[in-house]
Amino acid sequence: MTALAAVAIGVVSLQWVVLLVIAAVAIAGALVVVLHRSPVVGAMGLVTNLLCVAGIYVLLNAYFFAALQVIIYAGAVVVLITFVIMLLNLRPEARGGPGLVPIGLAVLLGLALIVVLGRPLLEFSAPTAEAVAPEFGSVRQVGEALFTEYFYPFLAVSLALLSAMVGAVLLAKRHLED
Amino acid sequence: MDLFLVVATIVKVALVVVVVISAVPVLTWVERRGSAFMQLRLGPNRVGPLGLLQPLADGIKFMFKEDIVPPFVYRPFYVAAPAIAFVAALLAFAVIPFGGTLMIDGREIPLVILDLDVGVLFLLAASGMGVFGIILAGWASNNKYSMLGGLRSSAQMISYELSLGLALVSVLIYAGTLRPTEIVEQQIGGTWNVFPLFVGFVILLVSAFAETNRLPFDLPEAETELVAGYHTEYSSMKFSMFFMAEYINMITGSALVTTLFLGGYALPFQRSVFEGWLGLEGNLLAVLQLASFTLKVGFFMWLYVWVRWTLPRFRFDQLMRLGWKILIPLALVHVVWASLLVMWGVPA
Amino acid sequence: MVGDPGPYLLLATILFVIGAFGVISRRGAITILMSIELMLNSANLALVAVSRFLPAAGQGAGIPDGQVIGFLVLAIAAAEVAVGLAIVIAMFRLRESVDVDLARLLRW
């Protein structure tokens, strides 16, 4: 009995360790995005962050969503961003930046946000259950919800994507005549 | 976790990694001898019988070459890029089922490393990460040719990932599952997907050629225009990692096409002839299936070589036109076709 | 098992704040776009984490709603990047720079 309990405790702490490591790397990646002067290095920080968040989705049993995250975000969005950075051949931003006062204000605002948003989140009190339902995170469950309950939002998003596509082509065209 | 399962998994992983990596030198031999055969040359025939030991000599040469890191590169990414390409290529193979179930000591061992509910998506995600290896190599090399190679590669990968994804979607709609083993079992029960979904098969094959940067789509490393494209500044083991990643990607692409369209590890007429008439079952069947899978993948590997020495390289605008104006609309229509088949109740 | 969404939500908050900080403090248009991605991504993390721990209709926990909304956010993020990058390219053609401080005129 005690051996079993020890294993159980061991498992719990292992989960915590994994979560903390992934979270630390995710935060580091995010900091690289906002602090590094070179946009390419920033894009790689973004990929690191996105992959870590995908890892957290796996910890949360949301396998389908983790796969989507990697394919769409890391695989397509960031590749597109990197492509544009290379296409424009962007150099690292000049030093100097916005100056100390706005940055100081931003840091203050950020800390305030963490306090304001973080407090209620930590006291999150909706009824939660620990054992995960067997079908949670499966493609079938998400798909069914998407095509029944969330059908109209899904339709609206498709239209938004279509209009964004047309808009992007229009904006990127050099001359509208040809 | 069961110790037996742990050991079985470790053995499977080790086996797959060793087989896939050691297939690369064999394939380079096939490529060089094959091209020589098509061009009425002899090809490498000095080292060992039929030149079979030539890849070994090449490998030793790679290892002992000086590893030059040019002074103008961005070092962290320059070093990381080949590793990213290599690891992503290997990772993608993990969800491919290469055989049925093996029975050892009364326990079933499925011959697949990761039997995931989202297996096909996992493969897509892993191969999508491989692009970063190429882009980073092109950017970090700080060289015009490398940069152009990286740029071309990212544009090409984004464009052809769409038609690849749409071809996958039609198979997934038809099969009604994303789990590769289930897709294969379904084809064993019914017909191979290549028959009802032939257009999807062709689209997936073309897209796989483009995704692996092979001729006729090898613009990222077009040696007559770009010296060597994204790996111009790489030497020694770093270069050979890119090289191996390309071949492993070819193997994974072939395995994907095989799994989705040609019944994966299924034997032809498995239900009627091999299980019914010959009465095969258990381990013997599994071994035969493994052989069948290897043969099918081998055929597509030969196809890569065959096409490479037959077709000339596309121009970049032709490549983009083929991807965006022909393959994607065709793939969209094909998705509708697959949905119609499901509506008519064709899949068993 | 980490038994409630608290830690995940805290992480999401931190990532959101870092993203917001990037949007405020940086001038490169592409870095700003990437920071916006960070913020959207943190919102997704919060959504999925909460939906994982809410009780399901049957037994156990986990409802699909968070993932579905997250999916819609993913699609919007992709659309946002496509349009954003097109604007960045158009702006680069005019100004030879992606510095947002240079883009404060409504005409050229």
Side-chain angles (χ1 to χ4, degrees):
Chain A
M1 246 351 246
T2 47
L4 265 180
V7 169
I9 291 167
V11 168
V12 166
S13 55
L14 184 68
Q15 281 252 342
W16 267 102
V17 170
V18 172
L19 176 65
L20 286 180
V21 169
I22 294 181
V25 179
I27 292 174
L31 286 175
V32 168
V33 176
V34 298
L35 295 181
H36 204 283
R37 291 192 305 133
S38 163
V40 174
V41 179
M44 291 310 119
L46 185 59
V47 176
T48 314
N49 176 273
L50 296 172
L51 289 180
C52 287
V53 173
I56 291 177
Y57 291 149
V58 171
L59 284 185
L60 287 166
N61 293 58
Y63 300 111
F64 177 54
F65 202 74
L68 281 185
Q69 163 99 357
V70 178
I71 293 173
I72 299 177
Y73 253 135
V77 168
V78 183
V79 171
L80 201 62
I81 290 177
T82 322
F83 177 74
V84 170
I85 295 173
M86 284 167 63
L87 185 75
L88 304 181
N89 204 5
L90 295 181
R91 299 279 141 220
E93 263 178 66
R95 265 188 210 286
L100 278 178
V101 177
I103 287 188
L105 279 177
V107 170
L108 275 181
L109 186 70
L111 291 178
L113 260 178
I114 290 189
V115 173
V116 172
L117 291 176
R119 273 293 296 281
L121 294 187
L122 276 182
E123 292 155 11
F124 186 83
S125 61
T128 58
E130 197 166 316
V132 66
E135 75 277 4
F136 177 76
S138 69
V139 187
R140 184 169 299 276
Q141 194 195 27
V142 176
E144 265 169 14
L146 191 61
F147 289 119
T148 54
E149 203 181 336
Y150 288 89
F151 179 70
Y152 290 107
F154 177 68
L155 216 58
V157 163
S158 327
L159 288 177
L161 263 179
L162 181 66
S163 53
M165 200 166 74
V166 175
V169 171
L170 207 64
L171 276 170
K173 251 193 146 144
R174 241 171 250 271
H175 305 287
L176 286 182
E177 299 85 61
D178 52 48
Chain B
M1 195 70 170
D2 193 348
L3 188 68
F4 180 81
L5 281 179
V6 173
V7 172
T9 310
I10 290 174
V11 169
K12 272 191 290 190
V13 171
L15 214 67
V16 167
V17 168
V18 167
V19 167
V20 168
I21 289 183
S22 55
V24 173
V26 178
L27 288 170
T28 63
W29 180 82
V30 170
E31 177 122 40
R32 298 173 75 178
R33 293 288 292 191
S35 68
F37 167 69
M38 284 178 210
Q39 298 173 339
L40 301 179
R41 294 185 285 114
L42 282 174
N45 65 349
R46 295 286 135 172
V47 192
L50 294 174
L52 263 174
L53 293 180
Q54 182 69 40
L56 196 69
D58 286 346
I60 293 171
K61 190 189 76 176
F62 269 132
M63 267 182 252
F64 287 102
K65 280 272 177 180
E66 185 186 357
D67 185 13
I68 301 166
V69 180
F72 44 79
V73 300
Y74 185 73
R75 230 192 129 100
F77 290 172
Y78 178 85
V79 175
I84 293 173
F86 185 70
V87 170
L90 264 185
L91 206 59
F93 198 84
V95 289
I96 302 276
F98 46 90
T101 20
L102 211 57
M103 297 285 284
I104 290 179
D105 198 19
R107 315 254 322 235
E108 289 186 352
I109 304 176
L111 288 181
V112 52
I113 293 175
L114 270 176
D115 192 11
L116 289 180
D117 181 37
V118 291
V120 177
L121 294 180
F122 178 90
L123 194 147
L124 218 55
S127 67
M129 288 301 96
V131 191
F132 282 108
I134 294 176
I135 297 179
L136 280 184
W139 183 79
S141 293
N142 208 356
N143 167 319
K144 272 180 218 146
Y145 296 120
S146 304
M147 181 77 143
L148 279 173
L151 260 178
R152 283 183 177 186
S153 163
S154 46
Q156 181 173 331
M157 296 268 198
I158 294 174
S159 309
Y160 280 80
E161 210 153 72
L162 291 176
S163 48
L164 181 96
L166 283 173
L168 286 182
V169 164
S170 55
V171 179
L172 301 179
I173 287 177
Y174 187 79
T177 172
L178 274 75
R179 195 188 283 268
T181 45
E182 278 177 24
I183 296 177
V184 171
E185 288 299 328
Q186 212 164 25
Q187 294 180 72
I188 293 179
T191 54
W192 291 359
N193 286 340
V194 65
F195 298 115
L197 304 172
F198 185 75
V199 179
F201 168 71
V202 175
I203 294 171
L204 186 64
L205 202 59
V206 174
S207 310
F209 271 74
E211 288 281 308
T212 46
N213 299 325
R214 286 283 298 191
L215 264 164
F217 307 118
D218 71 334
L219 290 112
E221 45 188 308
E223 51 280 89
T224 41
E225 315 163 18
L226 295 182
V227 187
Y230 59 88
H231 52 55
T232 305
E233 298 291 353
Y234 283 87
S235 54
S236 186
M237 276 316 279
K238 293 204 187 75
F239 169 74
S240 81
M241 275 171 104
F242 275 122
F243 191 73
M244 284 200 280
E246 180 179 322
Y247 274 86
I248 295 171
N249 274 329
M250 283 158 62
I251 297 175
T252 312
S254 307
L256 179 69
V257 175
T258 308
T259 305
L260 294 184
F261 286 100
L262 287 181
Y265 53 78
L267 295 159
F269 307 107
Q270 180 173 332
R271 279 283 143 78
S272 55
V273 176
F274 286 93
E275 282 175 35
W277 189 45
L278 290 174
L280 290 180
E281 55 175 20
N283 287 347
L284 189 58
L285 189 67
V287 171
L288 274 181
Q289 284 176 332
L290 190 61
S292 151
F293 180 76
T294 316
L295 265 180
K296 288 174 191 170
V297 173
F299 167 74
F300 282 109
M301 296 310 296
W302 170 246
L303 191 69
Y304 273 109
V305 176
W306 192 0
V307 168
R308 171 168 181 186
W309 298 102
T310 309
L311 294 179
R313 183 183 303 132
F314 275 53
R315 232 175 34 228
F316 199 69
D317 60 316
Q318 293 171 328
L319 175 88
M320 285 294 143
R321 194 182 317 142
L322 176 70
W324 287 96
K325 294 193 178 167
I326 300 175
L327 285 185
I328 291 176
L330 202 63
L332 277 171
V333 173
H334 189 258
V335 169
V336 176
W337 165 246
S339 322
L340 282 178
L341 285 181
V342 173
M343 240 175 73
W344 294 332
V346 176
Chain C
M1 199 67 208
V2 183
D4 69 293
Y8 301 99
L9 292 177
L10 185 64
L11 176 63
T13 314
I14 294 172
L15 291 180
F16 185 87
V17 168
I18 293 175
F21 174 75
V23 173
I24 296 168
S25 71
R26 296 299 296 265
R27 292 188 305 181
I30 291 193
T31 309
I32 291 177
L33 272 180
M34 292 197 286
S35 304
I36 294 174
E37 293 305 313
L38 277 179
M39 292 160 75
L40 287 170
N41 189 44
S42 74
N44 268 358
L45 176 58
L47 283 167
V48 174
V50 172
S51 79
R52 155 68 181 80
F53 291 103
L54 288 179
Q59 56 179 15
I63 53 172
D65 301 53
Q67 293 173 66
V68 174
I69 300 171
F71 177 80
L72 303 178
V73 173
L74 273 184
I76 291 298
E80 174 247 319
V81 162
V83 177
L85 288 178
I87 294 174
V88 169
I89 290 177
M91 179 181 150
F92 189 82
R93 285 212 190 105
L94 287 174
R95 304 238 177 263
E96 289 290 303
S97 160
V98 294
D99 192 332
V100 286
D101 285 354
L102 293 176
R104 51 183 148 203
L105 293 178
L106 286 177
R107 61 177 294 278
W108 59 93

